[in-house]
Amino acid sequence: ESFPATLEKSSTARNVKNSGIERQQGSQGKSCRINTLTAPLKAQQHKMVRVSRVQLPIVFTAFAAFFLAEQSRLTRVEAFHHAPSVLLRSSRTAKLPAQFRGMKVPAVSFGQSRVGQNCRTSTMLFKFLENSNTSPDSLNVPDIEAEWQFPATDRIVAVGDVHGDVTALIGCMEIAGLIDDNQDWIGGTTHFVQIGDILDRGDEEKDCIDLLAKLRKQAKEAGGMVHVLIGNHEVMNVDLDFRYVTPGAWTDWDTRPKSGTLLVSMAEQLASIGFPPYMKQRVMAFRPGGSAAKELAKMRVAIQIGDTILVHGGLRLKHIEYGLDRLNKQTAAWLEGGSRYKNWMKPEILDDNDSPVWARLYSVPQPKARAQEELEAVLTALGGKRMVVGHTPQLRGVNSAVTPRGFEVWRTDTGMSQGMMSGPLECLEVLGDGTTHIITETGIVPAAMRSPEATGDVIDVCDVDTGICTPLPDEVEAIHFTQPSPPEEPGTLRVRVPEEAPVAGFSLENKLEVEVLREMDDATLALEDRISFLLERLIADAVRREDETLTKKTVKEMLRKVIGVEAVSEYEEYVAAEIRRIISMGAEAILERYAGPLPTQARK
């Protein structure tokens, strides 16, 4: 229980005393007793977690860091992360709050010396800056293997979403010369990357996972590599969002845990919430620590091979600031689960509408100027020249968009799965000299033939109400003006089933409402004013007719039919903000503004 400290100089001792550490007489270099460690952390707000001596029967090498932003030209967060770190470990940490177990924290430094030998901890006061970048979750990086940076190679082959269609996956690998007739690796030193979304919309998910697992081992022996990325549908399944699971994909999952603890825990949870029998295998396999989740733990959110960045949805600057190493390791620990990583939760950043697995800003036919600028900034920060994404089906096959400064984004989701559009089997090939090609069933297509200039204007498939594009997490919940339900008890599992998947098409009431809004629309107004009026009227009418099925997604689709797809796309952020504003007004306020009976057509 000793707390080592060495005070080398009197000036340091004074600093220590002023920081709440009382000096005591001792042997060489003096000694001290720490009553409360309060090294100054310059921040406007912080939260404190008190860890008493009773709770913490181990030695802690002290932590805190001075933020010398002006001298070191580091931000407060950067200074914190650059401080020397020690790892808090103990075999007796059962009472230690989960967020502190195994945490790397900066060692406290006073002037040029460190707290050294012969001090005891009575009470320690841990301070954490209260923001996302310095929360216990984001500061901590788990001790888990999650390699994501690789040197340049002679050849990269990337394939987009396969969604449970192993025939499509095999076909792509065959036309790229990566496997033989027995589905064994013949790709040599090639790096093959599947861009995510193996799961959902098809019955052959497990066949895809098993094939890629086999090829990963074979490729490594040959000097190549097989990388599989995490897509939004992988995250959804671990969250028990099974809306897109097909009838033949519920069973045949290995549910045997490496130890009995997971089986007992899951059995208790399943019994408590009463999953139907057909669902149990999948639930047990995909919960963190399950057999399928452990396989997903070998996949990455984003990787970099030379100057090529590969990610399912897209990377934004905030993801670079968060740290790709941290994000990949936190995600791997969450999926791996088990006794070692059971306290690791899913990184909250994965659930953002523009998270690396959900972002679509680079995948529209012609990315907006702001998106192009951000793409350039992200690639510059990573030393990359191109980003390769999937997630958004492309009507013109694998294609690119090029920014004014020559940075590229390649879109590889061709909708090839039979559960999607049965699109063409195509792969992106990136050679060591930077040359890019599209490999198709009929031959090689030069990159220039798949540029916007060559392909012309193409509609965004996600703007069409086909159900092909999975809606964003917050767009599919019904809009309610009532008080939200209390949060579920910790540990409660909430499963979503195929019956809850959004259905393409409008209800009769919504079709009539569109006609009403078209009559009311005043094209002489500024576009923002038109949008605000139409949204208010649309939501007010839905409240009056007690429509409990209206979602943000439906609202946007109805607005598109009134003022056009391009207008809604151009003002996408404004539309989203206005919907939030109107909902926050409450039902009474919105009805008061638009008093009176429903329009005739809407009543019908």
Side-chain angles (χ1 to χ4, degrees):
E1 295 183 354
S2 64
F3 190 96
T6 300
L7 308 180
E8 299 177 357
K9 298 180 181 180
S10 58
S11 61
T12 303
R14 285 194 294 272
N15 289 336
V16 171
K17 183 175 182 180
N18 293 335
S19 297
I21 302 180
E22 299 175 1
R23 292 184 58 203
Q24 288 185 330
Q25 293 297 323
S27 57
Q28 184 178 7
K30 305 296 181 183
S31 65
C32 68
R33 179 178 295 276
I34 301 179
N35 293 325
T36 302
L37 186 60
T38 56
L41 300 179
K42 297 179 181 179
Q44 294 179 351
Q45 293 183 339
H46 59 269
K47 60 183 177 182
M48 304 178 180
V49 180
R50 195 176 184 85
V51 183
S52 70
R53 186 174 178 179
V54 174
Q55 291 175 301
L56 189 58
I58 63 170
V59 178
F60 271 170
T61 309
F63 116 79
F66 289 110
F67 293 102
L68 306 177
E70 294 181 1
Q71 297 181 20
S72 62
R73 294 186 181 180
L74 295 174
T75 64
R76 290 195 297 269
V77 174
E78 289 172 331
F80 197 80
H81 291 321
H82 282 75
S85 295
V86 294
L87 184 61
L88 308 183
R89 288 186 179 278
S90 171
S91 60
R92 300 174 61 195
T93 57
K95 295 184 178 180
L96 183 63
Q99 64 264 40
F100 298 118
R101 297 176 194 167
M103 177 174 286
K104 288 184 177 181
V105 296
V108 65
S109 174
F110 299 102
Q112 298 298 316
S113 66
R114 300 265 182 87
V115 178
Q117 298 177 349
N118 300 328
C119 282
R120 287 179 178 271
T121 57
S122 176
T123 303
M124 302 183 79
L125 196 61
F126 285 65
K127 298 184 177 182
F128 291 101
L129 301 183
E130 196 168 31
N131 59 55
S132 61
N133 287 331
T134 54
S135 66
D137 175 61
S138 62
L139 281 175
N140 200 358
V141 178
D143 182 17
I144 189 170
E145 179 66 29
E147 188 177 7
W148 64 278
Q149 289 179 303
F150 304 90
T153 185
D154 291 339
R155 187 181 188 230
I156 301 169
V157 173
V159 170
D161 309 29
V162 297
H163 281 301
D165 191 338
V166 74
T167 303
L169 175 61
I170 291 172
C172 285
M173 300 189 79
E174 285 179 341
I175 63 175
L178 298 178
I179 59 174
D180 59 20
D181 293 340
N182 297 316
Q183 287 89 57
D184 289 320
W185 182 261
I186 57 172
T189 60
T190 298
H191 280 234
F192 172 75
V193 187
Q194 197 283 318
I195 306 293
D197 275 9
I198 295 175
L199 301 179
D200 288 340
R201 302 183 186 269
D203 290 345
E204 300 166 343
E205 305 160 302
K206 192 171 186 301
D207 293 333
C208 293
I209 291 175
D210 291 344
L211 173 63
L212 292 170
K214 179 189 81 169
L215 293 175
R216 183 186 294 119
K217 296 177 182 178
Q218 294 179 351
K220 187 174 182 180
E221 293 173 357
M225 294 198 77
V226 169
H227 310 272
V228 185
L229 303 186
I230 292 173
N232 57 303
H233 282 265
E234 280 70 52
V235 174
M236 290 164 65
N237 273 267
V238 181
D239 285 339
L240 305 188
D241 185 345
F242 296 151
R243 287 175 294 161
Y244 297 91
V245 176
T246 51
W250 290 104
T251 57
D252 296 330
W253 295 98
D254 181 10
T255 58
R256 294 170 297 173
K258 293 184 178 180
S259 66
T261 56
L262 176 64
L263 182 59
V264 172
S265 173
M266 289 305 303
E268 292 175 349
Q269 291 173 329
L270 290 171
S272 65
I273 57 181
F275 285 116
Y278 78 89
M279 212 179 274
K280 291 185 177 182
Q281 278 194 25
R282 193 175 184 98
V283 170
M284 293 178 68
F286 278 96
R287 289 303 295 160
S291 59
K294 285 182 177 292
E295 194 62 37
L296 298 184
K298 300 173 185 177
M299 306 175 186
R300 300 291 164 258
V301 177
I303 64 173
Q304 178 170 0
I305 306 174
D307 55 12
T308 301
I309 318 300
L310 303 105
V311 61
H312 182 66
L315 291 177
R316 305 200 66 173
L317 280 173
K318 66 178 182 179
H319 306 142
I320 308 304
E321 294 167 359
Y322 187 91
L324 297 185
D325 184 69
R326 178 188 305 165
L327 179 57
N328 277 313
K329 287 186 175 181
Q330 288 178 344
T331 304
W334 164 57
L335 295 168
E336 183 67 25
S339 58
R340 184 174 183 182
Y341 301 108
K342 64 182 180 182
N343 294 312
W344 282 95
M345 299 295 103
K346 175 177 60 175
E348 292 182 2
I349 199 170
L350 283 183
D351 284 335
D352 292 348
N353 281 350
D354 59 352
S355 83
V357 301
W358 281 103
R360 297 191 193 272
L361 74 166
Y362 306 131
S363 296
V364 297
Q366 185 56 51
K368 298 177 183 177
R370 294 192 303 273
Q372 293 186 45
E373 291 171 1
E374 185 158 11
L375 175 66
E376 292 177 342
V378 168
L379 289 174
T380 298
L382 294 172
K385 293 182 178 179
R386 67 192 64 82
M387 187 182 295
V388 181
V389 301
H391 186 45
T392 304
Q394 304 292 310
L395 295 180
R396 52 187 173 186
V398 175
N399 67 87
S400 70
V402 184
T403 72
R405 293 171 54 192
F407 292 94
E408 302 171 350
V409 57
W410 281 93
R411 292 77 72 93
T412 62
D413 182 4
T414 66
M416 67 181 72
S417 169
Q418 295 181 52
M420 292 290 288
M421 305 186 303
S422 297
L425 303 185
E426 295 186 350
C427 319
L428 174 68
E429 180 183 53
V430 183
L431 301 180
D433 61 1
T435 303
T436 52
H437 302 113
I438 297 88
I439 303 174
T440 73
E441 295 180 271
T442 57
I444 302 295
V445 177
M449 298 299 295
R450 293 294 180 87
S451 65
E453 293 76 15
T455 58
D457 293 335
V458 179
I459 65 169
D460 184 351
V461 69
C462 293
D463 284 337
V464 183
D465 188 23
T466 60
I468 289 177
C469 292
T470 304
L472 294 169
D474 74 340
E475 289 194 337
V476 293
E477 301 294 340
I479 296 175
H480 294 294
F481 290 92
T482 57
Q483 194 69 17
S485 302
E488 295 176 331
E489 290 294 323
T492 301
L493 298 183
R494 160 82 160 88
V495 66
R496 306 186 73 172
V497 295
E499 287 75 12
E500 298 180 58
V503 178
F506 287 155
S507 64
L508 176 60
E509 291 82 359
N510 288 338
K511 290 179 180 178
L512 293 174
E513 181 69 20
V514 168
E515 295 302 319
V516 170
L517 294 175
R518 283 174 175 166
E519 292 180 4
M520 292 181 172
D521 183 28
D522 184 354
T524 64
L525 296 175
L527 191 53
E528 290 185 356
D529 294 335
R530 290 173 64 193
I531 290 172
S532 296
F533 168 75
L534 291 170
L535 288 175
E536 288 182 355
R537 186 76 206 202
L538 187 162
I539 294 175
D541 288 348
V543 172
R544 284 191 285 175
R545 65 173 182 265
E546 299 181 354
D547 183 354
E548 297 183 354
T549 64
L550 188 70
T551 66
K552 294 178 182 178
K553 178 176 183 287
T554 306
V555 169
K556 291 180 180 178
E557 289 172 353
M558 293 170 70
L559 187 63
R560 289 188 184 107
K561 292 184 179 297
V562 178
I563 66 173
V565 170
E566 292 185 4
V568 175
S569 177
E570 182 66 26
Y571 285 81
E572 183 177 4
E573 294 179 2
Y574 181 78
V575 170
E578 280 296 278
I579 294 174
R580 291 193 297 268
R581 178 187 65 80
I582 297 167
I583 293 173
S584 68
M585 290 171 60
E588 291 185 5
I590 189 66
L591 288 177
E592 183 178 345
R593 178 171 296 188
Y594 295 97
L598 282 167
T600 303
Q601 287 178 298
R603 284 203 304 272
K604 292 179 183 178

